[in-house]
Amino acid sequence: MKRKAPDSREGACVLCRRADSNPDVYGEKRWKDGVCAHENCLYLASRLPVRHANEMGADEFLPADIRRAVKRASRKLCYVCGERGATVTCRQKGCKRSFHFPCGREDGCVSQFSGQYRSFCREHRPEQSVQAQQDGETSCLICLEPVEEKLSYHTMVCPACLRACFHRGCIQVGGPSCAPSAWQVPAGSSVPLTLVVTLLQQQALRAGLFSFQCPQCKDSEKFLLEMSSMGIRVPLRQPAWEADGAFAELYQRHNRCDASRCLCAGGREQAEEAGPWHLLLCSSCAARGTHRRCSTLRATAATWECDDCVGLGTGEMEKVGRGKVLQDWFLNKRHNVKIEDDLPENNYKMIQLLIARKRMKLDRCKSLEHRMMEQNEGNSKQEDDQQLL
C-alpha cells in the first residue's frame, strides 16, 4: 500500500512523508511558509543547503530550497519501501541507493549527525574496528540484557576501555525513565524486551555533547568520536538533568551572616562590597558567613573560617589581629562589659583559648625563673663555701 502524499495541514514531513512527531527519532518539526519538515530529515537530505544561523542561533533552511529538494527526490526510489521521494543518498562512492530517513533507520542504515551529515546504506555502513575484550557472557551495561558475542550493528563497545558493551538502542536511548519502584516485575519472571525499550530514557540525548561518556570508564573524547561516526546522535546542549533545574541549589551562594549576634543595621542578609559589612564566607565549607564587624575582623581581612571547620581541622584559623582582639577584650573588662554579650561567640572562644595559652606561657616562665633562681642561689652558696675554705 502506497503512502499518500504529504499534507501540511496534517503536519506530515514533506521529505519523508510521515506525520510522526517523536523528537528523539526525527528531531523537532519545523514549519515555515506552509512547509513542514523533520529536523533530522532536513540535515540528512542530499544537496539541501544549510543557510547561516538565524537570530536565535539555529541553522535555517529556506522553504524554496526544501521544495527543490523534494522535486529532485520525486524521481528517486527508496530501496527500503520502494516508493518515490527518497531524499537521503548513500555517501559511499559508487553507491546509488537512496532512502527516506525513517526507512533507512528501520533497515539499519547509519546517519552521522555531525560534520557533513553523511548517511550510508546497510551494505556500506561503518563498523567498529576495535576488538572487544569479553570474558564469557557479557551483558549490556545499560539494560543488563545479554549482548552478541561479536560486534555488530546492534552491539557496540567503548573504544577506550574495550570492555563496556551495550546495545545501539540503549546508548542512543538510555536507561530507566522512571523510578525503579514503578517498573519492578514479579520475582522469577523475565522482563520483556518491549518493556525494556519502553522504560529506557534518552542516554545520549539527555546527556548532551558535554556530558556524554562511556558508562564504565567515563572516557568522553574517544567515546564521543566513535559513537558519532557510528550514527549515535548527541545533541549540542547541556545535560537534561541540569536544564530542568534539579541542581539549581548547588549554584546558589550563601548570602547571610551567621554570627551569634549580627551587628548590621540592615540585617543578616545585608552585604557591601567592602568595609565592615562585607560578607565573608568560610574558606573551608562556604556554608556559613559573617560580616567583618560581626566577627571583629580587620577591615582588610580577606578570609575567615567558621567554628565548625576550625574544630574539624579542615583549614587554618583566620589570621585575625589576635593582639587587637585581646586588647579590645581587656578594654571591655576594664569598663565592666560582659564579654559574652559584647563579642560574637567565635571570638569569645578564641579569646578564651588565647588566654589559656598565655597563662600556660606565664606558668612556664615562672617555673623557669624559679629554677634559674634556685640554680643561681646554689651557685652563690658554692662560691661562698669555697671562699670560706
Side-chain angles (χ1 to χ4, degrees):
M1 181 178 179
K2 292 186 177 181
R3 193 183 296 113
K4 62 180 181 179
D7 188 352
S8 60
R9 293 174 297 179
E10 299 178 357
C13 174
V14 297
L15 297 174
C16 69
R17 301 186 178 185
R18 296 193 185 187
D20 302 50
S21 58
N22 186 355
D24 298 341
V25 177
Y26 303 96
E28 300 293 338
K29 278 188 177 180
R30 296 194 182 185
W31 295 76
K32 190 171 184 180
D33 296 343
V35 177
C36 175
H38 294 126
E39 188 177 50
N40 291 348
C41 295
L42 289 171
Y43 278 106
L44 298 173
S46 301
R47 299 171 58 188
L48 180 58
V50 182
R51 303 299 177 180
H52 295 292
N54 55 26
E55 296 178 355
M56 300 299 294
D59 294 331
E60 186 176 6
F61 296 88
L62 300 181
D65 296 335
I66 298 175
R67 293 189 179 95
R68 281 192 288 268
V70 173
K71 185 177 180 180
R72 289 193 301 266
S74 61
R75 300 187 295 269
K76 296 181 179 180
L77 294 176
C78 174
Y79 87 95
V80 180
C81 67
E83 296 185 11
R84 296 184 180 274
T87 57
V88 184
T89 302
C90 178
R91 296 296 293 272
Q92 180 66 29
K93 187 176 181 180
C95 182
K96 298 182 179 180
R97 286 183 175 180
S98 298
F99 50 90
H100 304 102
F101 166 66
C103 297
R105 181 177 177 274
E106 296 168 359
D107 191 56
C109 299
V110 170
S111 296
Q112 299 172 349
F113 296 91
S114 61
Q116 299 180 1
Y117 289 88
R118 302 184 303 172
S119 295
F120 300 90
C121 66
R122 182 171 184 171
E123 181 180 348
H124 301 116
R125 65 192 179 196
E127 298 179 354
Q128 286 190 282
S129 58
V130 297
Q131 296 295 330
Q133 299 178 2
Q134 299 183 5
D135 298 331
E137 185 177 355
T138 306
S139 301
C140 174
L141 289 179
I142 300 176
C143 72
L144 304 181
E145 291 290 323
V147 297
E148 302 176 41
E149 295 182 359
K150 296 182 179 180
L151 298 182
S152 64
Y153 173 78
H154 299 286
T155 300
M156 310 178 72
V157 68
C158 172
C161 63
L162 302 178
R163 293 186 177 276
C165 296
F166 35 80
H167 300 114
R168 171 182 291 269
C170 293
I171 198 64
Q172 177 69 82
V173 181
S177 60
C178 53
S181 58
W183 50 271
Q184 288 180 351
V185 296
S189 60
S190 60
V191 182
L193 182 59
T194 55
L195 178 60
V196 173
V197 175
T198 303
L199 297 176
L200 296 178
Q201 71 180 16
Q202 304 124 0
Q203 169 82 355
L205 299 179
R206 287 181 59 84
L209 183 65
F210 305 107
S211 298
F212 185 57
Q213 58 186 3
C214 172
Q216 178 167 311
C217 69
K218 308 304 180 184
D219 178 83
S220 58
E221 185 175 355
K222 292 182 179 180
F223 187 74
L224 176 62
L225 294 176
E226 182 81 359
M227 295 299 107
S228 298
S229 63
M230 293 295 108
I232 301 300
R233 182 165 70 96
V234 186
L236 178 61
R237 60 168 177 78
Q238 62 178 343
W241 53 83
E242 293 186 4
D244 56 9
F247 298 94
E249 295 181 358
L250 299 179
Y251 298 102
Q252 294 180 0
R253 184 178 183 270
H254 191 75
N255 59 353
R256 69 186 308 272
C257 175
D258 297 304
S260 59
R261 180 184 177 186
C262 182
L263 306 177
C264 182
R268 293 184 179 272
E269 297 183 357
Q270 177 69 27
E272 298 179 357
E273 295 183 0
W277 307 121
H278 176 71
L279 187 67
L280 295 177
L281 298 184
C282 176
S283 58
S284 294
C285 67
R288 298 180 67 85
T290 181
H291 294 116
R292 286 170 174 164
R293 176 69 58 81
C294 298
S295 292
T296 324
L297 303 178
R298 293 179 298 179
T300 57
T303 59
W304 167 81
E305 199 168 30
C306 67
D307 291 343
D308 296 336
C309 293
V310 170
L312 293 174
T314 56
E316 277 189 47
M317 182 179 292
E318 162 59 16
K319 302 300 189 297
V320 299
R322 295 184 176 180
K324 184 178 183 302
V325 172
L326 282 175
Q327 182 181 1
D328 293 340
W329 180 75
F330 284 119
L331 289 175
N332 290 334
K333 294 292 290 184
R334 182 180 300 176
H335 292 85
N336 296 323
V337 178
K338 291 184 178 180
I339 180 175
E340 296 87 348
D341 299 332
D342 182 66
L343 291 178
E345 182 180 358
N346 60 334
N347 275 342
Y348 175 56
K349 292 181 179 179
M350 187 183 70
I351 289 173
Q352 288 181 326
L353 178 62
L354 293 176
I355 292 177
R357 290 179 178 176
K358 190 170 184 179
R359 286 176 178 174
M360 292 177 62
K361 291 181 179 179
L362 291 175
D363 293 340
R364 290 178 181 176
C365 290
K366 290 181 180 179
S367 177
L368 180 60
E369 184 179 1
H370 180 69
R371 291 179 182 177
M372 292 178 65
M373 289 178 62
E374 290 181 348
Q375 184 177 3
N376 291 335
E377 290 178 357
N379 294 336
S380 300
K381 187 176 181 180
Q382 291 180 359
E383 290 178 358
D384 295 339
D385 293 341
Q386 290 177 0
Q387 291 178 359
L388 292 175
L389 294 175

